[in-house]
Amino acid sequence: MDFSALMTSAGINIGLCAIFLSLYSILRKQPTNVYVYFGRRIAQDQNRETECFTLDRLLPSPSWIFKAWENTESDILKCGGLDSVVFLRFLVFSIRIFSIAAIVCLFGVLPANYFGRDMLHKQIPFESLEVFTIANVIEGSRWLWVHCLALYIITFSSCVLLYHEYKSISRLRLAYIRNSPHNLSHFTVLLRSIPNSGAEMEQGDTIRNFFGNYHGSSYLSHQLIYRTGKVQKLMSSAEKVYRKFVQLKLTSCGLNTRQKLYRCGLCGGDKSIPFHFQRNEVDLDEKITDITTTDIFQEQEDCLAAFVFFKTRYAAAIVSQLMQSPNPTLWVTDQAPEPRDVYWSNLSISYKCLWFRRVLILIISVVFMFVFLLPVTFVQSLTQLTQMKKMFPFFRDILKMPMVTKVVTGYLPSVILLLFFYTVPPVMMQLSTVEGSISRSDRKKSACHKILYFTIWNVFFVNVLSGSLLTQLNAMTRPNDLATQLAEAVPKQATFFITYVLTGWVGLCSEIMQIFALIYTFVRRYICQLDDDPQLVPTFPYHTEIPKVLLYSLLGFTCSILAPLILPFLLVYFCLGYVVYRNQILNVYVCKYEMGGKLWPVVHNTTVFSLVLTQIIAIGVFGLKSSKFSSGFTIPLVIGTLLFNEYCRQRFYYVFTSLSVQDLIEMDREDEISGRMEYIHKELLSGYYKFFPAKDSNKSDICNVDDNLTTTTESNQFSSIFS
């Protein structure tokens, strides 16, 4: 690919970005799109005033950029939680480190690459992009020390910035724990694999006797979780109808009753169906509670799991970490997730089946990864004209046109690969669900890991090692030669990675445009004739965006000294992403549950992996260029980076995986002194209700239960059946 083809790809992507951003600045001003572009704000305040039409609505403006930029980190923390701060911190880290890399490599490495061989250079628009890579440096060149020095500067700067961010985010994590005194999950343990007590004793009594015997001083209560059948389905349907009527009542308040037109798409006839709301004082709770407790228990199966509540945070933490029985498959305890974070359907999975599910999902993920080699290999063949002419002989005449050649080789491959990758997140999320995660945050974190490994393997390694499937398999069978193969292939594929980064610009603009949400809202409103529902506001897709940003970071590190021309385009991506994601966190996505910053170790470890991979490739390149001096000086850099990662793991990692005894005991003492502990104990008994609390505590309350689960809380003073 020559430089003009790269500029063609850049021009196409810049034009698409300008169109998308202009459309966004117009569409966000339209009242009909308020649920698409301001979903988080509408979810917090459902009452909004209708604005009058102004000409400004039809004119694009950059005002949204200034509004997204002017908010502080405390505003981000309040709107999106700690996870959003962690995500934006990594974008800031990327901007800083690649700014340093761009200055060093563009003014040091790029001239060394360009003048690395005695040759007659063409005009820059007609130069091949390989002239700007390390492939243009001759063997034994004395200028390779410039690449080694640049690698030292990038590595040292990355470690300093990573340490600073790890330390800062660890403090935020500790502050997040200390500033959440009413986090019910700190007092709660999820109990699974409950032994069968037989007919002579109910399972609730078995749990009460066991924890009263071995944890009598700290045990408070417990809550059983059952699976229900037909009764549950009836309650689910009743709850949906109830919510629909509540929504209709709210939307009609203060507005004139108007007719809705329902059109038949087949015959084209119009039919007006006027209606009005009729007040009917019906208490859904009273209707539902007409079902007796006996009917429910006739429909219930065995107890699936239980939430066990303790009087102090320290006691719950101790129980969740210790093995409760000599048989490790019985009385299994884990720290419970927050009530809003529980993924109820997976609580029905037997604990003994979890290992089988995890092994099965691992096998399926690997198979899916290899199946995806086919589209990646096809995309790789598009970058080479000779292979394209063999695959599509009827396109030979068209491919002779210069503009078509530039578009096909410089723009089309990265776009096709990006479109293929839109199928990956739903598949990985479904696999993480089947895997058995007990919380929504763990499910999203598991999907994030899968997508990250999948993306790095298919986008980087598969594209680098070869364009043919056979060569890729041969590379895997000869891991000892992997460094040499990467050293040979990465400079050749650097041009494809540059176009892939350019395509990422359009991906960011499509993210802020919310194309799929616009289409869904249009179909829901004008075809299905349904009103907008504030409850459908999505959460931030960390499982897709974090792997995507980490992939671009890996491409930046590995190509920094090999093909530094990628760095300016990468800086534009991170700067644009910083503004776009701030806007989305503040306006679009709602924070329904949190991971508490637990994704930062994933970000840190992947960044260190990118650094080590860059250093290994550099050693291979220096070896191919017969520069023993540079190769020898790079080996200590690898060892130092690994030691730095181990130090960070020992110093900070466990802050994100466990709770400290000092913090838990101090929080318990503060609550006991202030008198909040008694209030927390009362809240625990109803904290894991899945819907509204009971109006009459003397009754047995039966509510709708998602995923066919019912929970039962039992204590000395409290007994109910609820969802």
Side-chain angles (χ1 to χ4, degrees):
M1 182 191 299
D2 56 17
F3 193 81
S4 61
L6 176 63
M7 291 297 100
T8 301
S9 177
I12 294 174
N13 286 287
I14 291 173
L16 290 174
C17 290
I19 293 173
F20 281 178
L21 293 178
S22 299
L23 286 175
Y24 166 73
S25 64
I26 295 174
L27 292 174
R28 69 189 295 271
K29 301 176 185 178
Q30 312 308 315
T32 55
N33 298 328
V34 67
Y35 282 94
V36 177
Y37 297 118
F38 299 95
R40 189 197 66 82
R41 296 188 178 184
I42 296 301
Q44 290 184 350
D45 185 10
Q46 297 186 15
N47 297 323
R48 61 184 181 91
E49 297 179 358
T50 303
E51 299 179 359
C52 300
F53 174 79
T54 59
L55 184 62
D56 183 60
R57 285 185 183 175
L58 304 179
L59 299 177
S61 64
S63 59
W64 65 272
I65 299 177
F66 301 105
K67 292 180 180 178
W69 191 273
E70 65 187 7
N71 288 274
T72 62
E73 187 176 275
S74 59
D75 298 329
I76 299 293
L77 185 64
K78 181 180 179 180
C79 297
L82 181 58
D83 298 321
S84 62
V85 174
V86 169
F87 181 67
L88 293 176
R89 281 285 188 91
F90 178 65
L91 289 175
V92 173
F93 162 81
S94 300
I95 294 172
R96 290 172 177 171
I97 187 58
F98 288 114
S99 297
I100 298 173
I103 294 173
V104 173
C105 294
L106 291 179
F107 294 99
V109 176
L110 187 62
N113 290 342
Y114 188 74
F115 297 105
R117 188 185 301 272
D118 293 333
M119 58 180 295
L120 182 61
H121 289 283
K122 305 176 185 178
Q123 293 182 357
I124 289 182
F126 303 102
E127 285 279 19
S128 173
L129 289 181
E130 291 186 0
V131 176
F132 301 95
T133 68
I134 201 172
N136 194 52
V137 180
I138 62 174
E139 295 184 8
S141 175
R142 60 183 180 181
W143 294 107
L144 287 172
W145 68 267
V146 177
H147 300 76
C148 183
L149 178 61
L151 185 59
Y152 262 86
I153 294 174
I154 293 172
T155 302
F156 180 77
S157 303
S158 300
C159 292
V160 171
L161 292 175
L162 276 176
Y163 179 82
H164 171 74
E165 293 296 340
Y166 217 151
K167 184 178 180 180
S168 177
I169 293 174
S170 298
R171 291 175 178 173
L172 291 176
R173 163 78 177 170
L174 293 175
Y176 164 79
I177 295 173
R178 296 191 188 103
N179 295 333
S180 56
H182 299 297
N183 191 339
L184 302 184
S185 64
H186 291 171
F187 296 85
T188 310
V189 170
L190 177 64
L191 177 66
R192 289 182 290 181
S193 192
I194 305 171
N196 191 2
S197 57
E200 67 277 1
M201 183 182 296
E202 295 183 356
Q203 287 181 311
D205 296 331
T206 303
I207 296 174
R208 187 184 301 108
N209 292 339
F210 180 85
F211 285 95
N213 185 23
Y214 297 105
H215 305 280
S217 60
S218 58
Y219 168 71
L220 178 65
S221 178
H222 68 271
Q223 174 179 318
L224 300 177
I225 305 172
Y226 291 92
R227 176 181 290 279
T228 60
K230 297 180 180 179
V231 174
Q232 173 55 42
K233 295 180 180 179
L234 292 174
M235 290 191 296
S236 299
S237 301
E239 180 67 18
K240 291 179 181 178
V241 174
Y242 172 77
R243 287 187 173 186
K244 183 63 179 177
F245 275 101
V246 169
Q247 182 183 358
L248 290 173
K249 184 177 180 181
L250 290 175
T251 56
S252 65
C253 182
L255 299 176
N256 295 327
T257 303
R258 62 181 182 180
Q259 297 182 357
K260 286 192 175 183
L261 300 179
Y262 295 85
R263 294 177 173 84
C264 177
L266 297 177
C267 60
D270 294 347
K271 183 178 180 181
S272 299
I273 307 178
F275 65 91
H276 64 278
F277 294 102
Q278 182 177 0
R279 298 181 63 85
N280 188 5
E281 302 296 334
V282 179
D283 192 342
L284 184 63
D285 296 343
E286 296 179 359
K287 294 295 182 180
I288 292 179
T289 51
D290 290 339
I291 306 174
T292 63
T293 307
T294 305
D295 295 333
I296 290 293
F297 277 104
Q298 288 176 353
E299 292 287 337
Q300 288 175 342
E301 302 174 0
D302 292 336
C303 178
L304 304 171
F307 290 116
V308 183
F309 308 121
F310 292 86
K311 297 178 181 178
T312 62
R313 300 175 180 85
Y314 175 74
I318 293 297
V319 173
S320 65
Q321 297 296 324
L322 296 179
M323 190 171 64
Q324 303 299 315
S325 169
N327 185 351
T329 61
L330 295 177
W331 300 102
V332 179
T333 55
D334 293 294
Q335 190 74 40
E338 296 183 38
R340 58 181 179 173
D341 192 22
V342 177
Y343 196 74
W344 295 92
S345 62
N346 279 355
L347 297 183
S348 63
I349 300 174
S350 172
Y351 179 78
K352 297 179 180 179
C353 296
L354 287 178
W355 71 270
F356 175 75
R357 284 173 172 259
R358 289 166 183 165
V359 173
L360 180 62
I361 293 303
L362 177 61
I363 296 173
I364 295 175
S365 301
V366 173
V367 171
F368 183 58
M369 189 178 299
F370 278 97
V371 170
F372 215 80
L373 291 177
L374 298 176
V376 175
T377 303
F378 169 74
V379 168
Q380 188 58 233
S381 65
L382 295 179
T383 60
Q384 303 176 11
L385 282 178
T386 55
Q387 293 188 14
M388 284 193 61
K389 292 177 180 179
K390 292 179 181 179
M391 294 175 58
F392 309 104
F394 45 88
F395 285 151
R396 289 181 179 177
D397 295 334
I398 300 177
L399 293 175
K400 292 180 181 179
M401 302 173 61
M403 182 55 67
V404 174
T405 301
K406 293 176 183 179
V407 172
V408 170
T409 59
Y411 177 71
L412 197 59
S414 57
V415 173
I416 294 177
L417 185 61
L418 197 64
L419 292 176
F420 273 118
F421 269 96
Y422 276 114
T423 63
V424 176
V427 174
M428 293 304 182
M429 180 60 79
Q430 187 62 36
L431 292 178
S432 299
T433 302
V434 177
E435 197 173 27
S437 301
I438 61 174
S439 66
R440 300 181 185 275
S441 59
D442 285 345
R443 182 181 64 146
K444 186 169 286 189
K445 184 179 178 182
S446 176
C448 179
H449 282 95
K450 293 181 178 64
I451 297 173
L452 178 62
Y453 300 147
F454 185 93
T455 306
I456 291 177
W457 167 252
N458 281 285
V459 174
F460 183 77
F461 286 102
V462 174
N463 276 286
V464 162
L465 293 177
S466 178
S468 65
L469 180 61
L470 182 60
T471 309
Q472 293 161 7
L473 296 177
N474 290 335
M476 295 180 59
T477 58
R478 295 184 288 115
N480 295 332
D481 300 333
L482 184 60
T484 304
Q485 295 178 45
L486 289 174
E488 293 177 351
V490 170
K492 297 178 181 179
Q493 294 298 325
T495 55
F496 171 76
F497 294 145
I498 294 175
T499 59
Y500 191 81
V501 172
L502 288 172
T503 310
W505 296 0
V506 182
L508 288 174
C509 295
S510 63
E511 160 65 26
I512 200 170
M513 269 280 292
Q514 294 288 297
I515 298 176
F516 295 110
L518 278 175
I519 297 174
Y520 173 78
T521 303
F522 178 83
V523 172
R524 177 183 175 87
R525 183 182 298 157
Y526 298 107
I527 297 180
C528 300
Q529 294 291 322
L530 297 175
D531 294 328
D532 295 320
D533 188 358
Q535 302 298 326
L536 298 179
V537 179
T539 58
F540 193 91
Y542 293 104
H543 63 293
T544 61
E545 302 309 308
I546 286 182
K548 189 183 302 180
V549 176
L550 286 173
L551 172 65
Y552 288 116
S553 177
L554 183 142
L555 296 180
F557 281 117
T558 53
C559 296
S560 57
I561 65 171
L562 305 181
L565 206 59
I566 196 176
L567 295 175
F569 303 104
L570 203 61
L571 269 177
V572 173
Y573 173 83
F574 286 120
C575 292
L576 179 62
Y578 181 72
V579 177
V580 167
Y581 288 124
R582 282 177 70 94
N583 177 80
Q584 301 299 85
I585 291 169
L586 290 169
N587 297 321
V588 178
Y589 298 113
V590 67
C591 181
K592 297 180 181 179
Y593 51 87
E594 281 199 67
M595 288 178 274
K598 291 182 179 180
L599 285 175
W600 178 255
V602 179
V603 172
H604 175 88
N605 293 334
T606 307
T607 305
V608 172
F609 168 78
S610 302
L611 285 172
V612 174
L613 180 63
T614 303
Q615 295 156 5
I616 292 175
I617 294 174
I619 292 175
V621 171
F622 294 149
L624 292 175
K625 297 295 181 180
S626 302
S627 179
K628 296 181 180 179
F629 174 83
S630 299
S631 298
F633 268 84
T634 308
I635 294 175
L637 201 59
V638 178
I639 298 174
T641 305
L642 293 176
L643 291 176
F644 164 76
N645 184 54
E646 180 62 22
Y647 172 78
C648 289
R649 191 183 71 86
Q650 297 290 340
R651 174 64 179 85
F652 302 114
Y653 176 72
Y654 297 104
V655 174
F656 296 85
T657 58
S658 57
L659 303 174
S660 69
V661 172
Q662 179 179 347
D663 289 335
L664 295 178
I665 292 180
E666 287 180 357
M667 293 169 68
D668 289 335
R669 288 174 178 173
E670 290 176 1
D671 289 338
E672 290 176 356
I673 294 174
S674 62
R676 289 195 302 264
M677 190 64 78
E678 184 178 355
Y679 168 77
I680 294 175
H681 290 170
K682 292 180 180 179
E683 191 177 358
L684 276 172
L685 301 178
S686 60
Y688 282 84
Y689 275 37
K690 296 186 62 183
F691 289 98
F692 46 86
K695 291 184 178 180
D696 186 356
S697 59
N698 296 325
K699 296 182 181 179
S700 295
D701 303 308
I702 304 170
C703 305
N704 182 24
V705 182
D706 287 346
D707 306 315
N708 298 333
L709 290 179
T710 296
T711 54
T712 303
T713 301
E714 297 185 15
S715 65
N716 296 331
Q717 303 175 352
F718 189 89
S719 179
S720 65
I721 303 173
F722 56 90
S723 60

